[in-house]
Amino acid sequence: MKIIYLFTSPSLHGSSVQTKVLNQIKYLNLAGAECRGAFFSTEVKGVTPFNDQVDFIPVDICNWKYFKASGNKRKIMEAVLKYARSKYNDIDFFYFRYPEAGSLLNTFCSKYGKKTIFEHLSIEEFEIKLHTQENPFGLSPSKLFSWLEYSKLPLWREYLFGKTMRKNVKLGICNSKEIADFQNRKSGGIYQCIIGGDAFEVVAYPLKTRPILEQELRMVFLKGASTSADFNGLDRIIKGIANYQGSFKLKLYILGHQLDAEKDTVSKLNIEDKVKLMSPKRGEELFDFLKDIHIGIATLGLFRKGLNETTTIKVREYIALGLPFIFAYTDPDLNEEAKEFALEFPNDDSIIDMGKVTEFAKKALVDKELPQKMRNYAEEHLDYEVKMKHLYSKFNRLLVNENN
């Protein structure tokens, strides 16, 4: 089976999303596929090998004066169409991480959709509406153009082309049944979707030692998004820390970029001594920092994306590390066994009850074997090797059904 993974937002310097895509390609190959990555980039002038399985494909830089980001996306899709035309007869599937809708993506789906598998991580309309918070409407030219480019026009394109594109595509891989049902409804019931969900390369993370819980409960949130990402719901736990009247001293570390909203909330509540905002940490520096952390914090505001169910890389990181955590949504990969190391809160705007968090931490951290149990769970259910084998078998069934 020959698969080409089309990726439209790569970087020669890498990113968390790109690492995920590289692992998907790597483990699809290990599962038995012949999978190559075509990464479309303005950073290269010619086809440039990134590794043995991935090539960077050159894209012309847009020279528009206004709406330059939209122009760059158009240039990328022009390159994708040209590339797909040259490869279509030689491959079984294009695996395409769903980009923004548009006329050229619609053209791609009409021409090459019968061999295309989209990956959907969200309900796209809700995702786009969140961008309005970053680019609110304003009458000044800069605010008006930003609002149009990042909020109004993407939403309009999704409404205009979304249904037709999905009707023409072979398969959708979604992070949850909720997302899959939405994608299918949007197509008028034609679009076949399956549940994939996020995976993780367990071996890339070392197993944590179990820190002793004494007077201070130390928590961490690892923010990967480069926007304010209101859907993280950190205001819920920050307010919970401010309200807490128990015997523990609480300390929350938030590591990431774009933390202005969190800084403002912490300042208003006057709890700078309890919530520390920090720049991201990577690799060994991160692992060393996490040695003294008791509890991880996962997404607490998914309802702001219009979702109740999803999968996240953050949770998989915590499980691979052996770090108990709290979250506020339904994860289809977490079963009854996971309740030993994961505490679920309601997916709404209520303030997190830190009394429940401290009781959960005391119970979880008394178990000396829990980190290894979590590691075993990650290897059995969440590792890329497991997930990509499952996905490859579904692709094989697609081919068999097509040929019969």
Side-chain angles (χ1 to χ4, degrees):
M1 180 193 304
K2 293 185 178 181
I3 303 170
I4 293 180
Y5 199 125
L6 305 174
F7 184 44
T8 58
S9 56
S11 168
L12 289 172
H13 301 291
S15 68
S16 58
V17 173
Q18 185 165 300
T19 298
K20 174 185 175 179
V21 173
L22 290 170
N23 276 321
Q24 288 175 308
I25 293 168
K26 173 183 173 180
Y27 283 94
L28 277 171
N29 279 297
L30 289 174
E34 185 180 329
C35 182
R36 289 201 61 81
F39 288 21
F40 295 85
S41 172
T42 57
E43 295 180 292
V44 296
K45 299 300 183 184
V47 176
T48 304
F50 184 73
N51 61 29
D52 291 342
Q53 299 171 341
V54 174
D55 292 321
F56 269 55
I57 311 300
V59 177
D60 293 334
I61 297 174
C62 175
N63 58 7
W64 293 0
K65 184 175 181 180
Y66 303 109
F67 301 105
K68 194 165 185 176
S70 296
N72 283 329
K73 290 172 184 176
R74 187 170 184 83
K75 289 288 187 183
I76 289 170
M77 279 310 305
E78 288 173 351
V80 169
L81 280 166
K82 180 180 178 182
Y83 182 87
R85 183 168 59 249
S86 70
K87 300 293 184 180
Y88 185 72
N89 293 325
D90 301 324
I91 57 101
D92 295 300
F93 297 117
F94 290 120
Y95 191 140
F96 204 156
R97 188 181 177 93
Y98 186 83
E100 285 187 1
S103 60
L104 292 183
L105 184 61
N106 189 49
T107 300
F108 174 92
C109 293
S110 65
K111 289 185 175 182
Y112 310 120
K114 290 181 180 179
K115 289 187 177 182
T116 296
I117 297 167
F118 272 142
E119 184 178 61
H120 296 276
L121 306 180
S122 67
I123 294 176
E124 286 80 15
E125 280 90 339
F126 280 103
E127 193 86 19
I128 294 167
K129 287 175 182 176
L130 286 174
H131 294 170
T132 304
Q133 299 172 12
E134 308 290 330
N135 302 278
F137 177 79
L139 294 178
S140 68
S142 61
K143 285 192 173 182
L144 180 60
F145 288 160
S146 292
W147 174 73
L148 283 170
E149 182 164 29
Y150 296 107
S151 300
K152 191 65 176 179
L153 291 177
L155 198 59
W156 176 78
R157 294 184 194 114
E158 190 60 51
Y159 284 135
L160 186 63
F161 300 114
K163 181 175 181 178
T164 304
M165 290 190 311
R166 286 160 176 80
K167 288 171 67 174
N168 288 328
V169 171
K170 185 72 175 177
L171 181 71
I173 302 169
C174 304
N175 268 23
S176 69
K177 185 177 184 299
E178 185 179 23
I179 294 173
D181 288 345
F182 168 83
Q183 303 296 342
N184 179 261
R185 284 196 307 273
K186 186 162 184 174
S187 73
I190 295 172
Y191 190 20
Q192 181 186 353
C193 292
I194 60 174
I195 313 304
D198 281 311
F200 189 75
E201 192 174 31
V202 176
V203 71
Y205 271 55
L207 184 63
K208 267 176 76 339
T209 55
R210 182 181 63 97
I212 296 173
L213 178 60
E214 296 178 320
Q215 282 78 36
E216 183 176 69
L217 175 64
R218 294 180 294 276
M219 301 164 285
V220 70
F221 182 88
L222 305 175
K223 183 179 180 183
S226 57
T227 64
S228 63
D230 189 45
F231 58 85
N232 285 325
L234 292 177
D235 55 299
R236 296 182 65 193
I237 191 166
I238 292 171
K239 292 173 183 175
I241 291 171
N243 288 352
Y244 178 67
Q245 298 294 321
S247 59
F248 279 98
K249 180 181 177 182
L250 303 181
K251 192 82 168 187
L252 171 63
Y253 299 90
I254 302 175
L255 279 60
H257 297 295
Q258 293 287 343
L259 300 177
D260 290 345
E262 290 80 9
K263 183 178 181 180
D264 185 54
T265 303
V266 170
S267 177
K268 285 179 179 177
L269 295 172
N270 195 28
I271 53 170
E272 288 91 346
D273 60 324
K274 298 177 182 178
V275 180
K276 187 170 183 181
L277 308 178
M278 305 173 66
S279 58
K281 295 180 184 292
R282 303 276 186 258
E284 291 301 321
E285 184 185 17
L286 173 63
F287 302 145
D288 187 61
F289 175 81
L290 292 175
K291 287 178 182 177
D292 294 323
I293 299 296
H294 299 107
I295 296 293
I297 311 299
T299 302
L300 299 174
L302 195 67
F303 64 94
R304 293 168 186 165
K305 277 189 172 186
L307 290 172
N308 293 300
E309 181 182 355
T310 193
T311 64
T312 66
I313 291 292
K314 197 184 318 294
V315 159
R316 278 128 193 86
E317 290 175 338
Y318 292 154
I319 298 174
L321 281 165
L323 179 65
F325 61 92
I326 69 168
F327 68 119
Y329 57 89
T330 299
D331 187 319
D333 286 334
L334 299 185
N335 58 27
E336 284 295 312
E337 184 183 345
K339 290 183 179 179
E340 192 175 359
F341 54 76
L343 176 62
E344 182 178 350
F345 281 91
N347 182 30
D348 58 29
D349 220 7
S350 60
I351 295 173
I352 297 298
D353 184 342
M354 294 307 298
K356 290 183 178 179
V357 176
T358 57
E359 288 303 310
F360 164 70
K362 285 194 292 185
K363 185 177 179 181
L365 293 168
V366 77
D367 184 355
K368 296 180 181 179
E369 304 302 321
L370 187 61
Q372 188 59 55
K373 291 178 187 176
M374 294 178 70
R375 183 70 161 205
N376 295 343
Y377 189 96
E379 291 171 345
E380 293 169 11
H381 300 285
L382 307 174
D383 193 75
Y384 272 113
E385 185 174 0
V386 175
K387 289 277 191 174
M388 292 300 107
K389 279 182 180 178
H390 183 57
L391 204 57
Y392 177 64
S393 69
K394 290 186 176 182
F395 292 171
N396 261 326
R397 284 198 292 273
L398 269 183
L399 282 181
V400 170
N401 293 337
E402 206 172 63
N403 294 329
N404 288 339

